[in-house]
Amino acid sequence: MSGRTIPSVALTSIDRENCWFNPGCAMSLYPPELVEPMLALLREHFAPVKLHTVCCRHDPGLPAGAVIINNCAGCDRRFRSEYPGVKTITFWEILDHLDGLCLPKYDGLTVSVHDSCSFRQKPQVHAAVRNILRKMNIKVVDSELSGTKSICCGDNFYSHIPNEQVAEFQKKRAAQMPCDDVVVYCIGCVRSMTVGGKRPLYMPDLVLARQTKRMDNTLDEYHNELKEYIAGH
């Protein structure tokens, strides 16, 4: 993959009347109860953001100049690259720049971060996530393969190689994390770190002071539910 950095839309250029939050299909399945609190946080501290639930694999149907605030790396990539007139920025970049935001504190917690591979060319996202973690008094010990060097958690290999090999890759990737507690900001990574024997901490859960639920469903169960949801949205 090219080392080219892909910029997000600048905060100062966002039309706050044409700004939308799309949580992504995976979050809308797990855990869907996070969507409304995240939207409420944006509305209270940033702008009158509207909820957008069209899957990134379909035409978003938004006005020209629309900005989608997203939580999913795959959504960010598809919306900004496949639909002319749509710009993207992550929830984490917005959150990092909000003044007066009251975040929970996790004194004494030390974690590694698994960066979503589809955000590999967006170091501004890696920086925002770590800034927010520091604001919550969380210490980060990164692996060698993090940030712009991050590699897939294994989930993207589903359907390309046998499930047993996917699981082995997930375990190998999890073993590369120096800490047992691993912060992730992709639902697929929650499942992969669970398979790998780590304790995944999902960023939205941390920000909203919630406990991250284990994902013990099989690869087939997870992806079949996802495909069914995508087809209807």
Side-chain angles (χ1 to χ4, degrees):
M1 178 177 287
S2 167
R4 179 174 64 95
T5 296
I6 298 174
S8 303
V9 62
L11 266 71
T12 54
S13 69
I14 294 176
D15 178 355
R16 301 194 179 196
E17 298 299 324
N18 194 12
C19 191
W20 309 75
F21 174 54
N22 190 306
C25 296
M27 174 184 271
S28 298
L29 284 173
Y30 171 92
E33 60 268 23
L34 290 176
V35 174
E36 286 300 326
M38 291 174 73
L39 180 62
L41 192 153
L42 290 170
R43 287 174 171 170
E44 179 179 356
H45 296 278
F46 179 64
V49 179
K50 295 171 279 294
L51 183 63
H52 183 262
T53 57
V54 176
C55 176
C56 62
R57 291 170 176 81
H58 309 305
D59 188 329
L62 294 176
V67 171
I68 294 179
I69 301 171
N70 63 80
N71 171 66
C72 170
C75 293
D76 183 90
R77 175 173 52 81
R78 292 189 188 95
F79 280 130
R80 64 176 156 77
S81 63
E82 297 182 12
Y83 305 104
V86 173
K87 298 179 181 179
T88 62
I89 189 169
T90 65
F91 181 83
W92 310 113
E93 293 165 272
I94 298 285
L95 205 68
D96 186 32
H97 286 86
L98 295 181
D99 294 325
L101 187 64
C102 184
L103 294 170
K105 305 301 181 185
Y106 296 91
D107 297 339
L109 179 60
T110 301
V111 304
S112 297
V113 179
H114 181 273
D115 294 295
S116 303
C117 56
S118 291
F119 279 142
R120 194 178 299 137
Q121 293 174 293
K122 283 199 159 189
Q124 66 271 28
V125 179
H126 312 147
V129 166
R130 285 159 178 78
N131 287 342
I132 294 166
L133 292 175
R134 283 192 287 270
K135 291 173 185 177
M136 296 191 291
N137 295 346
I138 298 174
K139 180 181 178 181
V140 176
V141 179
D142 272 320
S143 70
E144 293 183 6
L145 298 174
S146 63
T148 57
K149 297 180 181 179
S150 186
I151 61 175
C152 180
C153 68
D155 188 72
N156 283 345
F157 295 131
Y158 177 75
S159 80
H160 298 290
I161 60 177
N163 287 358
E164 294 78 10
Q165 292 182 27
V166 174
E168 288 305 310
F169 191 95
Q170 291 171 323
K171 293 174 184 177
K172 180 180 178 180
R173 183 63 180 128
Q176 294 167 340
M177 297 293 116
C179 300
D180 288 331
D181 290 312
V182 181
V183 170
V184 299
Y185 40 106
C186 166
I187 294 296
C189 299
V190 172
R191 194 186 176 285
S192 291
M193 290 299 135
T194 301
V195 171
K198 297 292 185 177
R199 179 185 172 223
L201 303 174
Y202 188 44
M203 272 294 289
D205 284 325
L206 286 172
V207 167
L208 296 171
R210 292 169 43 97
Q211 184 173 354
T212 298
K213 299 177 182 177
R214 286 178 56 89
M215 294 182 68
D216 293 317
N217 52 351
T218 67
L219 267 172
D220 288 332
E221 289 170 342
Y222 169 62
H223 282 277
N224 286 339
E225 288 178 15
L226 195 56
K227 288 177 183 177
E228 183 178 347
Y229 188 91
I230 290 169
H233 294 78

